[in-house]
Amino acid sequence: MWVWAATGLYFKNQRVAGLIIPMVIAIIGMAIVYGTENSEGVNKWGRVFAYWMINSCSAAFPFIMNLTGQLVSGHTKQSFTRAVVLISFAVGNIIGPFCFSASDAPRYSKGLATIMGTFAACIIIGCMLGCLIYYENKLRNKKHGDPSKDENLKLEGIINGLQDKTDLENPHFRFVY
């Protein structure tokens, strides 16, 4: 998380990358740990480092919450979207332990496959979200003008935001990525 926080000071619009890259690192770490289990001559510290790589997935959560608040406009819509994300997070944490059954011990192949599948799904969803945001912003710029180049459009977008218009009602709203 500290690496992403420090990187964010120098590079803007990296929220979608903040969803994808930590998950890729986590999948690599999980594959190394799983692939080297019960192997002779494996560097123990290499496996420990790979295990630490798995925990990089936790760096994606602040980006998810940040994007949740910035991809929608309008107080009620933002509140509802954040609630759905938090409820989904809680449900996932409740269901997750049930993916590990005693009959799969000691390797827990089904549970680890489930985790890797959810990590892969996060990567795919992040890529799709990034593409969708990019093309939607491009379409809005073509249709309504580019607020980053026109101060009047930018001011009008801010005023519409203060009037609690949603992202669909405000033609000058641009999605962050």
Side-chain angles (χ1 to χ4, degrees), residues 59-96:
F61 187 71
F63 288 98
I64 292 168
M65 294 310 298
N66 186 287
L67 276 170
T68 302
Q70 294 182 353
L71 288 180
V72 294
S73 180
H75 179 72
T76 305
K77 191 173 181 181
Q78 275 187 344
S79 298
F80 178 77
T81 306
R82 284 186 174 151
V84 167
V85 168
L86 287 173
I87 290 169
S88 300
F89 179 73
V91 168
N93 281 316
I94 292 168
I95 294 172

PDB file of all heavy atoms in Angstrom, residues 59-96:
ATOM      1  N   ALA A  59      -3.861  -4.219  -1.305  1.00  0.00           N
ATOM      2  CA  ALA A  59      -3.638  -2.849  -1.781  1.00  0.00           C
ATOM      3  C   ALA A  59      -4.722  -2.417  -2.757  1.00  0.00           C
ATOM      4  O   ALA A  59      -4.907  -1.223  -2.997  1.00  0.00           O
ATOM      5  CB  ALA A  59      -2.269  -2.729  -2.439  1.00  0.00           C
ATOM      6  N   ALA A  60      -5.449  -3.362  -3.335  1.00  0.00           N
ATOM      7  CA  ALA A  60      -6.493  -3.016  -4.305  1.00  0.00           C
ATOM      8  C   ALA A  60      -7.740  -2.437  -3.632  1.00  0.00           C
ATOM      9  O   ALA A  60      -8.474  -1.664  -4.256  1.00  0.00           O
ATOM     10  CB  ALA A  60      -6.864  -4.239  -5.135  1.00  0.00           C
ATOM     11  N   PHE A  61      -7.995  -2.787  -2.389  1.00  0.00           N
ATOM     12  CA  PHE A  61      -9.234  -2.347  -1.734  1.00  0.00           C
ATOM     13  C   PHE A  61      -9.367  -0.828  -1.633  1.00  0.00           C
ATOM     14  O   PHE A  61     -10.438  -0.284  -1.946  1.00  0.00           O
ATOM     15  CB  PHE A  61      -9.381  -2.998  -0.357  1.00  0.00           C
ATOM     16  CG  PHE A  61     -10.697  -2.707   0.285  1.00  0.00           C
ATOM     17  CD1 PHE A  61     -11.861  -3.279  -0.197  1.00  0.00           C
ATOM     18  CD2 PHE A  61     -10.786  -1.840   1.356  1.00  0.00           C
ATOM     19  CE1 PHE A  61     -13.090  -2.998   0.383  1.00  0.00           C
ATOM     20  CE2 PHE A  61     -12.004  -1.555   1.945  1.00  0.00           C
ATOM     21  CZ  PHE A  61     -13.163  -2.139   1.452  1.00  0.00           C
ATOM     22  N   PRO A  62      -8.318  -0.086  -1.230  1.00  0.00           N
ATOM     23  CA  PRO A  62      -8.480   1.378  -1.216  1.00  0.00           C
ATOM     24  C   PRO A  62      -8.784   1.959  -2.601  1.00  0.00           C
ATOM     25  O   PRO A  62      -9.531   2.927  -2.714  1.00  0.00           O
ATOM     26  CB  PRO A  62      -7.130   1.886  -0.703  1.00  0.00           C
ATOM     27  CG  PRO A  62      -6.547   0.750   0.047  1.00  0.00           C
ATOM     28  CD  PRO A  62      -7.041  -0.488  -0.630  1.00  0.00           C
ATOM     29  N   PHE A  63      -8.232   1.341  -3.648  1.00  0.00           N
ATOM     30  CA  PHE A  63      -8.530   1.815  -4.995  1.00  0.00           C
ATOM     31  C   PHE A  63      -9.979   1.537  -5.369  1.00  0.00           C
ATOM     32  O   PHE A  63     -10.619   2.345  -6.034  1.00  0.00           O
ATOM     33  CB  PHE A  63      -7.583   1.174  -6.014  1.00  0.00           C
ATOM     34  CG  PHE A  63      -6.183   1.703  -5.919  1.00  0.00           C
ATOM     35  CD1 PHE A  63      -5.212   1.004  -5.230  1.00  0.00           C
ATOM     36  CD2 PHE A  63      -5.844   2.905  -6.503  1.00  0.00           C
ATOM     37  CE1 PHE A  63      -3.928   1.496  -5.133  1.00  0.00           C
ATOM     38  CE2 PHE A  63      -4.563   3.411  -6.413  1.00  0.00           C
ATOM     39  CZ  PHE A  63      -3.600   2.701  -5.716  1.00  0.00           C
ATOM     40  N   ILE A  64     -10.486   0.398  -4.929  1.00  0.00           N
ATOM     41  CA  ILE A  64     -11.889   0.074  -5.187  1.00  0.00           C
ATOM     42  C   ILE A  64     -12.791   1.102  -4.513  1.00  0.00           C
ATOM     43  O   ILE A  64     -13.729   1.620  -5.123  1.00  0.00           O
ATOM     44  CB  ILE A  64     -12.224  -1.351  -4.696  1.00  0.00           C
ATOM     45  CG1 ILE A  64     -11.515  -2.384  -5.548  1.00  0.00           C
ATOM     46  CG2 ILE A  64     -13.728  -1.593  -4.702  1.00  0.00           C
ATOM     47  CD1 ILE A  64     -11.550  -3.787  -4.976  1.00  0.00           C
ATOM     48  N   MET A  65     -12.509   1.405  -3.269  1.00  0.00           N
ATOM     49  CA  MET A  65     -13.338   2.370  -2.549  1.00  0.00           C
ATOM     50  C   MET A  65     -13.197   3.768  -3.143  1.00  0.00           C
ATOM     51  O   MET A  65     -14.171   4.520  -3.231  1.00  0.00           O
ATOM     52  CB  MET A  65     -12.985   2.377  -1.057  1.00  0.00           C
ATOM     53  CG  MET A  65     -13.325   1.085  -0.353  1.00  0.00           C
ATOM     54  SD  MET A  65     -15.017   0.502  -0.650  1.00  0.00           S
ATOM     55  CE  MET A  65     -15.995   1.819   0.020  1.00  0.00           C
ATOM     56  N   ASN A  66     -11.996   4.119  -3.573  1.00  0.00           N
ATOM     57  CA  ASN A  66     -11.778   5.419  -4.192  1.00  0.00           C
ATOM     58  C   ASN A  66     -12.538   5.524  -5.501  1.00  0.00           C
ATOM     59  O   ASN A  66     -13.212   6.522  -5.760  1.00  0.00           O
ATOM     60  CB  ASN A  66     -10.272   5.620  -4.408  1.00  0.00           C
ATOM     61  CG  ASN A  66      -9.952   6.992  -4.920  1.00  0.00           C
ATOM     62  OD1 ASN A  66     -10.206   7.297  -6.077  1.00  0.00           O
ATOM     63  ND2 ASN A  66      -9.392   7.811  -4.057  1.00  0.00           N
ATOM     64  N   LEU A  67     -12.441   4.507  -6.328  1.00  0.00           N
ATOM     65  CA  LEU A  67     -13.159   4.522  -7.607  1.00  0.00           C
ATOM     66  C   LEU A  67     -14.666   4.520  -7.405  1.00  0.00           C
ATOM     67  O   LEU A  67     -15.398   5.156  -8.166  1.00  0.00           O
ATOM     68  CB  LEU A  67     -12.753   3.311  -8.452  1.00  0.00           C
ATOM     69  CG  LEU A  67     -11.482   3.470  -9.262  1.00  0.00           C
ATOM     70  CD1 LEU A  67     -11.063   2.137  -9.850  1.00  0.00           C
ATOM     71  CD2 LEU A  67     -11.642   4.512 -10.337  1.00  0.00           C
ATOM     72  N   THR A  68     -15.132   3.828  -6.387  1.00  0.00           N
ATOM     73  CA  THR A  68     -16.566   3.783  -6.113  1.00  0.00           C
ATOM     74  C   THR A  68     -17.115   5.181  -5.893  1.00  0.00           C
ATOM     75  O   THR A  68     -18.198   5.510  -6.373  1.00  0.00           O
ATOM     76  CB  THR A  68     -16.849   2.914  -4.878  1.00  0.00           C
ATOM     77  OG1 THR A  68     -16.344   1.614  -5.111  1.00  0.00           O
ATOM     78  CG2 THR A  68     -18.324   2.828  -4.584  1.00  0.00           C
ATOM     79  N   GLY A  69     -16.362   6.001  -5.207  1.00  0.00           N
ATOM     80  CA  GLY A  69     -16.814   7.359  -4.942  1.00  0.00           C
ATOM     81  C   GLY A  69     -16.636   8.306  -6.109  1.00  0.00           C
ATOM     82  O   GLY A  69     -17.309   9.331  -6.197  1.00  0.00           O
ATOM     83  N   GLN A  70     -15.726   7.966  -7.029  1.00  0.00           N
ATOM     84  CA  GLN A  70     -15.427   8.901  -8.109  1.00  0.00           C
ATOM     85  C   GLN A  70     -15.988   8.492  -9.467  1.00  0.00           C
ATOM     86  O   GLN A  70     -15.906   9.259 -10.410  1.00  0.00           O
ATOM     87  CB  GLN A  70     -13.921   9.095  -8.208  1.00  0.00           C
ATOM     88  CG  GLN A  70     -13.378   9.774  -6.973  1.00  0.00           C
ATOM     89  CD  GLN A  70     -11.895  10.034  -7.065  1.00  0.00           C
ATOM     90  OE1 GLN A  70     -11.229   9.606  -7.981  1.00  0.00           O
ATOM     91  NE2 GLN A  70     -11.377  10.747  -6.090  1.00  0.00           N
ATOM     92  N   LEU A  71     -16.538   7.303  -9.570  1.00  0.00           N
ATOM     93  CA  LEU A  71     -17.118   6.880 -10.845  1.00  0.00           C
ATOM     94  C   LEU A  71     -18.602   7.172 -10.941  1.00  0.00           C
ATOM     95  O   LEU A  71     -19.203   6.978 -11.989  1.00  0.00           O
ATOM     96  CB  LEU A  71     -16.882   5.386 -11.085  1.00  0.00           C
ATOM     97  CG  LEU A  71     -15.449   5.002 -11.413  1.00  0.00           C
ATOM     98  CD1 LEU A  71     -15.340   3.509 -11.637  1.00  0.00           C
ATOM     99  CD2 LEU A  71     -14.940   5.756 -12.622  1.00  0.00           C
ATOM    100  N   VAL A  72     -19.189   7.607  -9.844  1.00  0.00           N
ATOM    101  CA  VAL A  72     -20.598   7.979  -9.855  1.00  0.00           C
ATOM    102  C   VAL A  72     -20.745   9.362  -9.239  1.00  0.00           C
ATOM    103  O   VAL A  72     -19.941   9.778  -8.414  1.00  0.00           O
ATOM    104  CB  VAL A  72     -21.489   6.953  -9.096  1.00  0.00           C
ATOM    105  CG1 VAL A  72     -21.510   5.631  -9.799  1.00  0.00           C
ATOM    106  CG2 VAL A  72     -21.029   6.783  -7.674  1.00  0.00           C
ATOM    107  N   SER A  73     -21.775  10.056  -9.658  1.00  0.00           N
ATOM    108  CA  SER A  73     -22.037  11.391  -9.144  1.00  0.00           C
ATOM    109  C   SER A  73     -23.470  11.419  -8.627  1.00  0.00           C
ATOM    110  O   SER A  73     -24.324  10.679  -9.105  1.00  0.00           O
ATOM    111  CB  SER A  73     -21.838  12.414 -10.265  1.00  0.00           C
ATOM    112  OG  SER A  73     -22.075  13.713  -9.797  1.00  0.00           O
ATOM    113  N   GLY A  74     -23.701  12.266  -7.687  1.00  0.00           N
ATOM    114  CA  GLY A  74     -25.013  12.351  -7.047  1.00  0.00           C
ATOM    115  C   GLY A  74     -24.939  11.642  -5.699  1.00  0.00           C
ATOM    116  O   GLY A  74     -24.484  10.505  -5.606  1.00  0.00           O
ATOM    117  N   HIS A  75     -25.382  12.314  -4.656  1.00  0.00           N
ATOM    118  CA  HIS A  75     -25.217  11.803  -3.290  1.00  0.00           C
ATOM    119  C   HIS A  75     -25.879  10.446  -3.093  1.00  0.00           C
ATOM    120  O   HIS A  75     -25.269   9.510  -2.565  1.00  0.00           O
ATOM    121  CB  HIS A  75     -25.758  12.810  -2.281  1.00  0.00           C
ATOM    122  CG  HIS A  75     -25.649  12.345  -0.871  1.00  0.00           C
ATOM    123  ND1 HIS A  75     -24.439  12.274  -0.209  1.00  0.00           N
ATOM    124  CD2 HIS A  75     -26.586  11.883  -0.012  1.00  0.00           C
ATOM    125  CE1 HIS A  75     -24.645  11.789   1.004  1.00  0.00           C
ATOM    126  NE2 HIS A  75     -25.934  11.559   1.155  1.00  0.00           N
ATOM    127  N   THR A  76     -27.118  10.305  -3.491  1.00  0.00           N
ATOM    128  CA  THR A  76     -27.845   9.050  -3.279  1.00  0.00           C
ATOM    129  C   THR A  76     -27.212   7.915  -4.073  1.00  0.00           C
ATOM    130  O   THR A  76     -27.036   6.804  -3.557  1.00  0.00           O
ATOM    131  CB  THR A  76     -29.321   9.215  -3.681  1.00  0.00           C
ATOM    132  OG1 THR A  76     -29.865  10.318  -2.960  1.00  0.00           O
ATOM    133  CG2 THR A  76     -30.118   7.971  -3.387  1.00  0.00           C
ATOM    134  N   LYS A  77     -26.849   8.194  -5.304  1.00  0.00           N
ATOM    135  CA  LYS A  77     -26.234   7.172  -6.153  1.00  0.00           C
ATOM    136  C   LYS A  77     -24.881   6.738  -5.585  1.00  0.00           C
ATOM    137  O   LYS A  77     -24.554   5.555  -5.584  1.00  0.00           O
ATOM    138  CB  LYS A  77     -26.083   7.702  -7.576  1.00  0.00           C
ATOM    139  CG  LYS A  77     -25.699   6.662  -8.585  1.00  0.00           C
ATOM    140  CD  LYS A  77     -25.738   7.246 -10.002  1.00  0.00           C
ATOM    141  CE  LYS A  77     -25.384   6.195 -11.020  1.00  0.00           C
ATOM    142  NZ  LYS A  77     -25.387   6.737 -12.381  1.00  0.00           N
ATOM    143  N   GLN A  78     -24.091   7.696  -5.095  1.00  0.00           N
ATOM    144  CA  GLN A  78     -22.806   7.356  -4.472  1.00  0.00           C
ATOM    145  C   GLN A  78     -23.007   6.518  -3.223  1.00  0.00           C
ATOM    146  O   GLN A  78     -22.311   5.518  -3.023  1.00  0.00           O
ATOM    147  CB  GLN A  78     -22.035   8.619  -4.109  1.00  0.00           C
ATOM    148  CG  GLN A  78     -21.218   9.187  -5.217  1.00  0.00           C
ATOM    149  CD  GLN A  78     -20.346  10.345  -4.746  1.00  0.00           C
ATOM    150  OE1 GLN A  78     -20.566  10.906  -3.668  1.00  0.00           O
ATOM    151  NE2 GLN A  78     -19.384  10.702  -5.552  1.00  0.00           N
ATOM    152  N   SER A  79     -23.935   6.913  -2.392  1.00  0.00           N
ATOM    153  CA  SER A  79     -24.193   6.172  -1.151  1.00  0.00           C
ATOM    154  C   SER A  79     -24.625   4.748  -1.447  1.00  0.00           C
ATOM    155  O   SER A  79     -24.149   3.791  -0.820  1.00  0.00           O
ATOM    156  CB  SER A  79     -25.265   6.868  -0.321  1.00  0.00           C
ATOM    157  OG  SER A  79     -24.850   8.150   0.060  1.00  0.00           O
ATOM    158  N   PHE A  80     -25.528   4.583  -2.416  1.00  0.00           N
ATOM    159  CA  PHE A  80     -25.998   3.259  -2.780  1.00  0.00           C
ATOM    160  C   PHE A  80     -24.858   2.408  -3.345  1.00  0.00           C
ATOM    161  O   PHE A  80     -24.698   1.236  -2.980  1.00  0.00           O
ATOM    162  CB  PHE A  80     -27.137   3.363  -3.803  1.00  0.00           C
ATOM    163  CG  PHE A  80     -27.634   2.027  -4.266  1.00  0.00           C
ATOM    164  CD1 PHE A  80     -28.467   1.267  -3.455  1.00  0.00           C
ATOM    165  CD2 PHE A  80     -27.253   1.512  -5.491  1.00  0.00           C
ATOM    166  CE1 PHE A  80     -28.917   0.024  -3.863  1.00  0.00           C
ATOM    167  CE2 PHE A  80     -27.693   0.270  -5.912  1.00  0.00           C
ATOM    168  CZ  PHE A  80     -28.528  -0.480  -5.099  1.00  0.00           C
ATOM    169  N   THR A  81     -24.054   2.987  -4.217  1.00  0.00           N
ATOM    170  CA  THR A  81     -22.950   2.249  -4.831  1.00  0.00           C
ATOM    171  C   THR A  81     -21.930   1.822  -3.779  1.00  0.00           C
ATOM    172  O   THR A  81     -21.459   0.680  -3.794  1.00  0.00           O
ATOM    173  CB  THR A  81     -22.272   3.120  -5.912  1.00  0.00           C
ATOM    174  OG1 THR A  81     -23.261   3.555  -6.834  1.00  0.00           O
ATOM    175  CG2 THR A  81     -21.193   2.342  -6.641  1.00  0.00           C
ATOM    176  N   ARG A  82     -21.595   2.705  -2.874  1.00  0.00           N
ATOM    177  CA  ARG A  82     -20.643   2.346  -1.806  1.00  0.00           C
ATOM    178  C   ARG A  82     -21.219   1.254  -0.912  1.00  0.00           C
ATOM    179  O   ARG A  82     -20.504   0.348  -0.495  1.00  0.00           O
ATOM    180  CB  ARG A  82     -20.283   3.579  -0.990  1.00  0.00           C
ATOM    181  CG  ARG A  82     -19.327   4.476  -1.708  1.00  0.00           C
ATOM    182  CD  ARG A  82     -18.872   5.616  -0.850  1.00  0.00           C
ATOM    183  NE  ARG A  82     -17.834   6.358  -1.548  1.00  0.00           N
ATOM    184  CZ  ARG A  82     -17.611   7.631  -1.391  1.00  0.00           C
ATOM    185  NH1 ARG A  82     -18.354   8.332  -0.544  1.00  0.00           N
ATOM    186  NH2 ARG A  82     -16.656   8.233  -2.049  1.00  0.00           N
ATOM    187  N   ALA A  83     -22.506   1.333  -0.628  1.00  0.00           N
ATOM    188  CA  ALA A  83     -23.140   0.301   0.197  1.00  0.00           C
ATOM    189  C   ALA A  83     -23.093  -1.057  -0.500  1.00  0.00           C
ATOM    190  O   ALA A  83     -22.791  -2.078   0.128  1.00  0.00           O
ATOM    191  CB  ALA A  83     -24.580   0.686   0.516  1.00  0.00           C
ATOM    192  N   VAL A  84     -23.362  -1.089  -1.793  1.00  0.00           N
ATOM    193  CA  VAL A  84     -23.322  -2.343  -2.547  1.00  0.00           C
ATOM    194  C   VAL A  84     -21.904  -2.923  -2.531  1.00  0.00           C
ATOM    195  O   VAL A  84     -21.723  -4.133  -2.332  1.00  0.00           O
ATOM    196  CB  VAL A  84     -23.826  -2.135  -3.996  1.00  0.00           C
ATOM    197  CG1 VAL A  84     -23.498  -3.333  -4.875  1.00  0.00           C
ATOM    198  CG2 VAL A  84     -25.310  -1.872  -4.004  1.00  0.00           C
ATOM    199  N   VAL A  85     -20.902  -2.075  -2.706  1.00  0.00           N
ATOM    200  CA  VAL A  85     -19.514  -2.554  -2.694  1.00  0.00           C
ATOM    201  C   VAL A  85     -19.151  -3.111  -1.319  1.00  0.00           C
ATOM    202  O   VAL A  85     -18.559  -4.192  -1.211  1.00  0.00           O
ATOM    203  CB  VAL A  85     -18.542  -1.425  -3.112  1.00  0.00           C
ATOM    204  CG1 VAL A  85     -17.095  -1.811  -2.835  1.00  0.00           C
ATOM    205  CG2 VAL A  85     -18.721  -1.091  -4.580  1.00  0.00           C
ATOM    206  N   LEU A  86     -19.508  -2.410  -0.260  1.00  0.00           N
ATOM    207  CA  LEU A  86     -19.176  -2.890   1.091  1.00  0.00           C
ATOM    208  C   LEU A  86     -19.938  -4.160   1.449  1.00  0.00           C
ATOM    209  O   LEU A  86     -19.384  -5.062   2.085  1.00  0.00           O
ATOM    210  CB  LEU A  86     -19.441  -1.792   2.119  1.00  0.00           C
ATOM    211  CG  LEU A  86     -18.422  -0.652   2.105  1.00  0.00           C
ATOM    212  CD1 LEU A  86     -18.852   0.471   3.039  1.00  0.00           C
ATOM    213  CD2 LEU A  86     -17.037  -1.147   2.503  1.00  0.00           C
ATOM    214  N   ILE A  87     -21.183  -4.252   1.047  1.00  0.00           N
ATOM    215  CA  ILE A  87     -21.955  -5.478   1.300  1.00  0.00           C
ATOM    216  C   ILE A  87     -21.354  -6.642   0.527  1.00  0.00           C
ATOM    217  O   ILE A  87     -21.206  -7.746   1.063  1.00  0.00           O
ATOM    218  CB  ILE A  87     -23.450  -5.264   0.966  1.00  0.00           C
ATOM    219  CG1 ILE A  87     -24.090  -4.330   1.986  1.00  0.00           C
ATOM    220  CG2 ILE A  87     -24.187  -6.586   0.903  1.00  0.00           C
ATOM    221  CD1 ILE A  87     -25.471  -3.834   1.612  1.00  0.00           C
ATOM    222  N   SER A  88     -20.978  -6.403  -0.721  1.00  0.00           N
ATOM    223  CA  SER A  88     -20.341  -7.457  -1.525  1.00  0.00           C
ATOM    224  C   SER A  88     -19.025  -7.906  -0.893  1.00  0.00           C
ATOM    225  O   SER A  88     -18.712  -9.104  -0.859  1.00  0.00           O
ATOM    226  CB  SER A  88     -20.082  -6.958  -2.943  1.00  0.00           C
ATOM    227  OG  SER A  88     -21.276  -6.588  -3.561  1.00  0.00           O
ATOM    228  N   PHE A  89     -18.255  -6.950  -0.392  1.00  0.00           N
ATOM    229  CA  PHE A  89     -16.997  -7.266   0.292  1.00  0.00           C
ATOM    230  C   PHE A  89     -17.260  -8.138   1.523  1.00  0.00           C
ATOM    231  O   PHE A  89     -16.576  -9.142   1.744  1.00  0.00           O
ATOM    232  CB  PHE A  89     -16.298  -5.961   0.687  1.00  0.00           C
ATOM    233  CG  PHE A  89     -15.012  -6.137   1.426  1.00  0.00           C
ATOM    234  CD1 PHE A  89     -13.867  -6.565   0.769  1.00  0.00           C
ATOM    235  CD2 PHE A  89     -14.938  -5.861   2.781  1.00  0.00           C
ATOM    236  CE1 PHE A  89     -12.675  -6.722   1.450  1.00  0.00           C
ATOM    237  CE2 PHE A  89     -13.749  -6.018   3.467  1.00  0.00           C
ATOM    238  CZ  PHE A  89     -12.617  -6.447   2.800  1.00  0.00           C
ATOM    239  N   ALA A  90     -18.271  -7.773   2.304  1.00  0.00           N
ATOM    240  CA  ALA A  90     -18.600  -8.544   3.513  1.00  0.00           C
ATOM    241  C   ALA A  90     -19.093  -9.944   3.160  1.00  0.00           C
ATOM    242  O   ALA A  90     -18.688 -10.926   3.783  1.00  0.00           O
ATOM    243  CB  ALA A  90     -19.655  -7.798   4.335  1.00  0.00           C
ATOM    244  N   VAL A  91     -19.944 -10.049   2.150  1.00  0.00           N
ATOM    245  CA  VAL A  91     -20.456 -11.360   1.734  1.00  0.00           C
ATOM    246  C   VAL A  91     -19.309 -12.243   1.249  1.00  0.00           C
ATOM    247  O   VAL A  91     -19.244 -13.434   1.567  1.00  0.00           O
ATOM    248  CB  VAL A  91     -21.556 -11.201   0.659  1.00  0.00           C
ATOM    249  CG1 VAL A  91     -21.885 -12.529  -0.001  1.00  0.00           C
ATOM    250  CG2 VAL A  91     -22.805 -10.591   1.266  1.00  0.00           C
ATOM    251  N   GLY A  92     -18.393 -11.666   0.487  1.00  0.00           N
ATOM    252  CA  GLY A  92     -17.230 -12.421   0.022  1.00  0.00           C
ATOM    253  C   GLY A  92     -16.382 -12.927   1.177  1.00  0.00           C
ATOM    254  O   GLY A  92     -15.879 -14.063   1.144  1.00  0.00           O
ATOM    255  N   ASN A  93     -16.218 -12.101   2.202  1.00  0.00           N
ATOM    256  CA  ASN A  93     -15.445 -12.528   3.373  1.00  0.00           C
ATOM    257  C   ASN A  93     -16.167 -13.596   4.188  1.00  0.00           C
ATOM    258  O   ASN A  93     -15.531 -14.393   4.868  1.00  0.00           O
ATOM    259  CB  ASN A  93     -15.106 -11.322   4.255  1.00  0.00           C
ATOM    260  CG  ASN A  93     -13.953 -10.530   3.709  1.00  0.00           C
ATOM    261  OD1 ASN A  93     -12.947 -11.084   3.280  1.00  0.00           O
ATOM    262  ND2 ASN A  93     -14.084  -9.225   3.698  1.00  0.00           N
ATOM    263  N   ILE A  94     -17.477 -13.609   4.147  1.00  0.00           N
ATOM    264  CA  ILE A  94     -18.233 -14.649   4.845  1.00  0.00           C
ATOM    265  C   ILE A  94     -18.172 -15.959   4.068  1.00  0.00           C
ATOM    266  O   ILE A  94     -17.980 -17.033   4.644  1.00  0.00           O
ATOM    267  CB  ILE A  94     -19.699 -14.195   5.056  1.00  0.00           C
ATOM    268  CG1 ILE A  94     -19.754 -13.040   6.051  1.00  0.00           C
ATOM    269  CG2 ILE A  94     -20.561 -15.359   5.524  1.00  0.00           C
ATOM    270  CD1 ILE A  94     -21.095 -12.333   6.118  1.00  0.00           C
ATOM    271  N   ILE A  95     -18.322 -15.880   2.754  1.00  0.00           N
ATOM    272  CA  ILE A  95     -18.334 -17.080   1.916  1.00  0.00           C
ATOM    273  C   ILE A  95     -16.945 -17.689   1.752  1.00  0.00           C
ATOM    274  O   ILE A  95     -16.806 -18.910   1.680  1.00  0.00           O
ATOM    275  CB  ILE A  95     -18.943 -16.754   0.535  1.00  0.00           C
ATOM    276  CG1 ILE A  95     -20.419 -16.403   0.689  1.00  0.00           C
ATOM    277  CG2 ILE A  95     -18.771 -17.901  -0.443  1.00  0.00           C
ATOM    278  CD1 ILE A  95     -21.051 -15.883  -0.586  1.00  0.00           C
ATOM    279  N   GLY A  96     -15.926 -16.861   1.703  1.00  0.00           N
ATOM    280  CA  GLY A  96     -14.561 -17.310   1.433  1.00  0.00           C
ATOM    281  C   GLY A  96     -14.083 -18.504   2.235  1.00  0.00           C
ATOM    282  O   GLY A  96     -13.580 -19.479   1.655  1.00  0.00           O
TER     283      GLY A  96
END
